[in-house]
Amino acid sequence: SVVLIACLPSLSEACLHLFAIMPCGCSHAASLVWRMPTLLMILLSAQLRSTAAADASTEELRSEIQELRLRLQALEHHDQETMLSIDTFWLISSGIFIFFMQLGFTMFEAGSVRAKNRMNILLKNLLDSCVGAVMYYFFGFS
């Protein structure tokens, strides 16, 4: 469509040359033959102009597409880094909340038992947290 639009002014010039005032005594066919080289030159120059314009616009579009691809790759890389940092933050904050929950369970259980069993409950909950952290490191994190 770019080539066709670029050709339109030149085609109108060609039509003007075709239907211009003919020399006296010439028929339409003779006038057409007489003006054929001019018509061909106009059409050829129009084609060359439209091709040059299309090549220039094509190169501009290619460079713009390449620039947009580079910007998209940079944004995707930045998006991956952002998602990794969000995932890391969520993992660490969730782990902190789990250990605070474990501390709350320890306090609840220590208050629910007799004084002589308090040390057993505290040790059981401490070992539960330590074993849970080690098991997560070996099995959950991988």
Side-chain angles (χ1 to χ4, degrees):
S1 65
V2 173
V3 174
L4 181 62
I5 291 170
C7 288
L8 285 178
S10 300
L11 289 175
S12 63
E13 289 175 13
C15 290
L16 286 175
H17 278 285
L18 271 177
F19 299 111
I21 300 173
M22 297 175 234
C24 294
C26 292
S27 67
H28 290 289
S31 174
L32 184 62
V33 171
W34 179 70
R35 296 194 183 269
M36 190 60 73
T38 307
L39 176 64
L40 289 176
M41 289 300 276
I42 291 171
L43 290 175
L44 183 61
S45 67
Q47 182 64 32
L48 289 175
R49 275 187 285 176
S50 64
T51 304
D55 288 343
S57 64
T58 303
E59 288 302 319
E60 288 174 5
L61 289 175
R62 284 184 183 168
S63 65
E64 187 176 344
I65 288 171
Q66 184 64 24
E67 179 183 326
L68 289 174
R69 282 183 183 158
L70 293 174
R71 288 178 59 195
L72 181 63
Q73 287 173 353
L75 287 174
E76 286 174 349
H77 180 69
H78 180 69
D79 188 42
Q80 289 173 354
E81 288 177 355
T82 303
M83 290 305 295
L84 181 64
S85 64
I86 289 173
D87 289 345
T88 304
F89 174 76
W90 177 254
L91 186 67
I92 290 172
S93 63
S94 297
I96 290 170
F97 287 136
I98 295 296
F99 280 107
F100 276 124
M101 285 172 48
Q102 190 70 27
L103 180 64
F105 291 140
T106 301
M107 294 298 136
F108 174 72
E109 289 179 11
S112 299
V113 297
R114 293 172 48 180
K116 67 178 190 166
N117 295 329
R118 219 172 258 158
M119 285 305 280
N120 290 338
I121 292 297
L122 292 175
L123 183 61
K124 180 189 80 81
N125 283 308
L126 179 66
L127 287 176
D128 185 33
S129 297
C130 292
V131 169
V134 170
M135 288 298 142
Y136 178 76
Y137 178 75
F138 284 120
F139 299 110
F141 190 67
S142 63

